[in-house]
Amino acid sequence: MAKAQSVSKEAKAAKKQARKAASKERRQQLWQAFQMQRKEDKRLIPYMVGVIVLSVAVFTGLGFLLGSPWLLIPLGVVLGVLGAFILFGRRVQKNVYTKAEGQPGAAGWALGNMRGQWRVAQAVSGTSHLDAVHRVIGKPGVILVGEGSPTRVKSLLNQEKKKAARVVGDTPIYEIMVGNDDGQVPLSKLERHINKLPNNIDRKRMETLEGRLAALSSKAPGPGMPKGPLPGNAKMKSMQRTARRRG
C-alpha cells in the first residue's frame, strides 16, 4: 500500500514537472515570436499599447459615468492586455502566411496547421514541378486542395476526385484551388473557407472514409512532393500556433 502511494506521488510530481516544462516552453516560444514579429513589424508595439490605452480609457469613462472611476480600471487593463495579445496573434499569423505564400507545399502546411477535427493527408498526388493535391476529411466530407500551376493541378484534382468517388459513396467531394486568381482561394483565407463548408457527415463516417482513402493511397506510388513549405518556416509555424493559443 505504501509502495503504491509512493508511485502515485511520483507520478503526480512527474506530471506537475511536465506541465511546468511545457508552460516554460510556450512562454519561450511566445517571447521568440514577439521578438521576431517586433523586428519585422514596426507598428506592432504602438498598436498593442494603443489597444491597452483605449481599453483603459473606455472603462475609466464608464467608471466616471457610474460614479466609481477607479472601479473599472483593472477590468480595462485586463481586457486591454487580452486585446493586445489577440492583435499580436493575428499579425503573427498574417506575417507567417505572407512568407509562406507561393512556396511549394504552403497549402499543405496551412492545412496541417488548421484547428479542429480535420484529417489531413498532404501531397496525395503531385508532379515533378511541385504541384500538389492535398486531401482533407472533415464534417463537410472529402476536400481536395490543389496548389501549383492551375493547368496541371486541374488534371490532378480530377484524377483524385475519380479515385475518391469509388470509395466514398454519396459523401460530398469538394475541390479547392489555392491562389489569388478568380475562382481560387488565397492561402490566408483557406482555413476560413473550409470552415464555412456545411456539415454533411459525422465523426464515425470520417473515420471510415479515412481508412478507405488511406488504403486507396497506399496502393499508389508516392508523388515525391515535399510535405509542407520550405524548412525555414518550421519554427515560425510553432510560434504562430503558440501565439494563437495565447491570443
Side-chain angles (χ1 to χ4, degrees), residues 93-120:
Q93 183 178 8
K94 181 180 178 181
N95 186 31
V96 170
Y97 277 108
T98 299
K99 288 183 176 181
E101 191 167 10
Q103 294 191 47
W109 162 79
L111 293 171
N113 202 33
M114 289 196 304
R115 292 166 289 183
Q117 297 177 356
W118 303 99
R119 318 295 171 85
V120 179

Short mmCIF file of all heavy atoms in Angstrom, two decimals, residues 93-120:
data_model
loop_
_atom_site.label_atom_id
_atom_site.label_comp_id
_atom_site.label_asym_id
_atom_site.label_seq_id
_atom_site.Cartn_x
_atom_site.Cartn_y
_atom_site.Cartn_z
N GLN A 93 0.14 35.72 -37.46
CA GLN A 93 -0.46 34.81 -38.43
C GLN A 93 -0.39 35.39 -39.84
O GLN A 93 -0.04 34.71 -40.80
CB GLN A 93 -1.92 34.54 -38.06
CG GLN A 93 -2.62 33.55 -38.98
CD GLN A 93 -4.05 33.28 -38.55
OE1 GLN A 93 -4.57 33.94 -37.65
NE2 GLN A 93 -4.67 32.31 -39.17
N LYS A 94 -0.70 36.67 -39.96
CA LYS A 94 -0.65 37.32 -41.26
C LYS A 94 0.77 37.31 -41.82
O LYS A 94 0.99 37.06 -43.01
CB LYS A 94 -1.15 38.77 -41.14
CG LYS A 94 -1.15 39.53 -42.46
CD LYS A 94 -1.67 40.95 -42.26
CE LYS A 94 -1.64 41.72 -43.57
NZ LYS A 94 -2.12 43.12 -43.38
N ASN A 95 1.74 37.56 -40.96
CA ASN A 95 3.14 37.57 -41.37
C ASN A 95 3.59 36.20 -41.85
O ASN A 95 4.28 36.06 -42.87
CB ASN A 95 4.02 38.03 -40.21
CG ASN A 95 5.47 38.22 -40.60
OD1 ASN A 95 5.78 38.58 -41.74
ND2 ASN A 95 6.37 37.98 -39.68
N VAL A 96 3.17 35.15 -41.12
CA VAL A 96 3.54 33.79 -41.48
C VAL A 96 2.95 33.40 -42.83
O VAL A 96 3.63 32.84 -43.69
CB VAL A 96 3.08 32.79 -40.39
CG1 VAL A 96 3.25 31.36 -40.86
CG2 VAL A 96 3.88 33.02 -39.11
N TYR A 97 1.68 33.71 -43.04
CA TYR A 97 1.05 33.37 -44.30
C TYR A 97 1.65 34.15 -45.46
O TYR A 97 1.79 33.63 -46.57
CB TYR A 97 -0.46 33.63 -44.23
CG TYR A 97 -1.22 32.50 -43.60
CD1 TYR A 97 -1.77 32.61 -42.32
CD2 TYR A 97 -1.39 31.30 -44.27
CE1 TYR A 97 -2.46 31.57 -41.74
CE2 TYR A 97 -2.08 30.24 -43.70
CZ TYR A 97 -2.61 30.38 -42.44
OH TYR A 97 -3.30 29.33 -41.86
N THR A 98 2.03 35.40 -45.22
CA THR A 98 2.66 36.19 -46.27
C THR A 98 3.98 35.57 -46.71
O THR A 98 4.30 35.51 -47.89
CB THR A 98 2.90 37.64 -45.77
OG1 THR A 98 1.64 38.24 -45.45
CG2 THR A 98 3.58 38.47 -46.85
N LYS A 99 4.75 35.08 -45.73
CA LYS A 99 6.03 34.46 -46.04
C LYS A 99 5.85 33.11 -46.73
O LYS A 99 6.63 32.73 -47.59
CB LYS A 99 6.85 34.27 -44.76
CG LYS A 99 7.40 35.56 -44.19
CD LYS A 99 8.26 35.29 -42.97
CE LYS A 99 8.89 36.56 -42.46
NZ LYS A 99 9.77 36.31 -41.29
N ALA A 100 4.82 32.38 -46.33
CA ALA A 100 4.61 31.03 -46.88
C ALA A 100 4.00 31.06 -48.27
O ALA A 100 4.22 30.14 -49.06
CB ALA A 100 3.71 30.24 -45.94
N GLU A 101 3.25 32.11 -48.59
CA GLU A 101 2.53 32.16 -49.86
C GLU A 101 3.49 32.05 -51.04
O GLU A 101 4.51 32.73 -51.11
CB GLU A 101 1.73 33.47 -49.96
CG GLU A 101 0.75 33.48 -51.11
CD GLU A 101 -0.25 34.63 -51.00
OE1 GLU A 101 -0.05 35.51 -50.14
OE2 GLU A 101 -1.22 34.63 -51.76
N GLY A 102 3.14 31.17 -51.95
CA GLY A 102 3.95 30.98 -53.15
C GLY A 102 5.01 29.91 -53.01
O GLY A 102 5.61 29.49 -54.00
N GLN A 103 5.27 29.46 -51.79
CA GLN A 103 6.27 28.41 -51.60
C GLN A 103 5.65 27.04 -51.87
O GLN A 103 4.49 26.81 -51.55
CB GLN A 103 6.81 28.44 -50.17
CG GLN A 103 7.61 29.69 -49.83
CD GLN A 103 8.34 29.51 -48.51
OE1 GLN A 103 8.98 28.49 -48.27
NE2 GLN A 103 8.24 30.50 -47.64
N PRO A 104 6.42 26.11 -52.44
CA PRO A 104 5.90 24.76 -52.64
C PRO A 104 5.50 24.13 -51.32
O PRO A 104 6.22 24.18 -50.34
CB PRO A 104 7.11 24.01 -53.25
CG PRO A 104 7.95 25.09 -53.86
CD PRO A 104 7.78 26.29 -52.97
N GLY A 105 4.31 23.56 -51.29
CA GLY A 105 3.82 22.92 -50.07
C GLY A 105 3.17 23.84 -49.08
O GLY A 105 2.78 23.40 -47.99
N ALA A 106 3.02 25.12 -49.42
CA ALA A 106 2.46 26.08 -48.46
C ALA A 106 1.03 25.73 -48.09
O ALA A 106 0.63 25.85 -46.93
CB ALA A 106 2.53 27.50 -49.04
N ALA A 107 0.24 25.27 -49.06
CA ALA A 107 -1.15 24.91 -48.77
C ALA A 107 -1.20 23.71 -47.84
O ALA A 107 -2.02 23.66 -46.92
CB ALA A 107 -1.91 24.62 -50.07
N GLY A 108 -0.32 22.74 -48.06
CA GLY A 108 -0.26 21.57 -47.18
C GLY A 108 0.09 21.97 -45.77
O GLY A 108 -0.46 21.44 -44.80
N TRP A 109 1.03 22.90 -45.65
CA TRP A 109 1.41 23.41 -44.33
C TRP A 109 0.22 24.07 -43.64
O TRP A 109 -0.04 23.85 -42.46
CB TRP A 109 2.55 24.40 -44.48
CG TRP A 109 2.74 25.29 -43.31
CD1 TRP A 109 3.37 25.00 -42.13
CD2 TRP A 109 2.28 26.64 -43.17
NE1 TRP A 109 3.32 26.07 -41.28
CE2 TRP A 109 2.67 27.09 -41.90
CE3 TRP A 109 1.58 27.51 -44.02
CZ2 TRP A 109 2.37 28.38 -41.45
CZ3 TRP A 109 1.29 28.79 -43.57
CH2 TRP A 109 1.68 29.21 -42.30
N ALA A 110 -0.52 24.91 -44.39
CA ALA A 110 -1.68 25.61 -43.82
C ALA A 110 -2.75 24.62 -43.38
O ALA A 110 -3.37 24.79 -42.33
CB ALA A 110 -2.25 26.59 -44.85
N LEU A 111 -2.97 23.57 -44.17
CA LEU A 111 -3.97 22.57 -43.81
C LEU A 111 -3.56 21.82 -42.55
O LEU A 111 -4.37 21.54 -41.67
CB LEU A 111 -4.16 21.59 -44.97
CG LEU A 111 -4.77 22.17 -46.25
CD1 LEU A 111 -4.69 21.15 -47.38
CD2 LEU A 111 -6.21 22.60 -46.03
N GLY A 112 -2.28 21.48 -42.46
CA GLY A 112 -1.79 20.78 -41.29
C GLY A 112 -1.84 21.62 -40.03
O GLY A 112 -1.79 21.09 -38.92
N ASN A 113 -1.94 22.94 -40.20
CA ASN A 113 -1.96 23.85 -39.06
C ASN A 113 -3.38 24.27 -38.67
O ASN A 113 -3.56 25.12 -37.80
CB ASN A 113 -1.13 25.10 -39.42
CG ASN A 113 -0.66 25.85 -38.19
OD1 ASN A 113 -0.37 25.26 -37.16
ND2 ASN A 113 -0.56 27.16 -38.31
N MET A 114 -4.40 23.68 -39.33
CA MET A 114 -5.77 24.06 -39.03
C MET A 114 -6.19 23.55 -37.65
O MET A 114 -5.76 22.49 -37.22
CB MET A 114 -6.74 23.50 -40.09
CG MET A 114 -6.65 24.17 -41.43
SD MET A 114 -8.10 23.82 -42.48
CE MET A 114 -8.10 22.03 -42.49
N ARG A 115 -7.05 24.32 -37.02
CA ARG A 115 -7.61 23.90 -35.75
C ARG A 115 -8.92 23.15 -35.99
O ARG A 115 -9.68 23.50 -36.89
CB ARG A 115 -7.88 25.12 -34.86
CG ARG A 115 -6.61 25.82 -34.38
CD ARG A 115 -6.90 27.18 -33.82
NE ARG A 115 -7.28 28.12 -34.87
CZ ARG A 115 -7.53 29.41 -34.66
NH1 ARG A 115 -7.45 29.90 -33.44
NH2 ARG A 115 -7.85 30.21 -35.66
N GLY A 116 -9.18 22.14 -35.19
CA GLY A 116 -10.41 21.39 -35.34
C GLY A 116 -10.14 19.94 -35.72
O GLY A 116 -9.00 19.49 -35.83
N GLN A 117 -11.22 19.21 -35.92
CA GLN A 117 -11.13 17.78 -36.21
C GLN A 117 -11.05 17.55 -37.71
O GLN A 117 -12.03 17.18 -38.37
CB GLN A 117 -12.33 17.05 -35.61
CG GLN A 117 -12.39 17.14 -34.09
CD GLN A 117 -13.62 16.48 -33.51
OE1 GLN A 117 -14.47 16.00 -34.24
NE2 GLN A 117 -13.72 16.46 -32.21
N TRP A 118 -9.88 17.75 -38.24
CA TRP A 118 -9.64 17.55 -39.67
C TRP A 118 -8.59 16.45 -39.86
O TRP A 118 -7.60 16.41 -39.15
CB TRP A 118 -9.15 18.84 -40.32
CG TRP A 118 -10.08 20.00 -40.15
CD1 TRP A 118 -9.97 21.01 -39.23
CD2 TRP A 118 -11.26 20.27 -40.89
NE1 TRP A 118 -11.00 21.89 -39.36
CE2 TRP A 118 -11.82 21.47 -40.36
CE3 TRP A 118 -11.91 19.63 -41.94
CZ2 TRP A 118 -12.98 22.02 -40.87
CZ3 TRP A 118 -13.07 20.19 -42.44
CH2 TRP A 118 -13.60 21.37 -41.91
N ARG A 119 -8.83 15.57 -40.80
CA ARG A 119 -7.87 14.51 -41.13
C ARG A 119 -7.17 14.93 -42.42
O ARG A 119 -7.77 14.88 -43.50
CB ARG A 119 -8.59 13.17 -41.31
CG ARG A 119 -9.69 12.90 -40.26
CD ARG A 119 -9.11 12.76 -38.86
NE ARG A 119 -10.16 12.71 -37.84
CZ ARG A 119 -10.82 11.62 -37.48
NH1 ARG A 119 -10.54 10.47 -38.07
NH2 ARG A 119 -11.72 11.66 -36.52
N VAL A 120 -5.94 15.35 -42.29
CA VAL A 120 -5.21 15.92 -43.43
C VAL A 120 -4.16 14.94 -43.95
O VAL A 120 -3.36 14.42 -43.18
CB VAL A 120 -4.51 17.24 -43.03
CG1 VAL A 120 -3.74 17.82 -44.22
CG2 VAL A 120 -5.54 18.25 -42.52
#
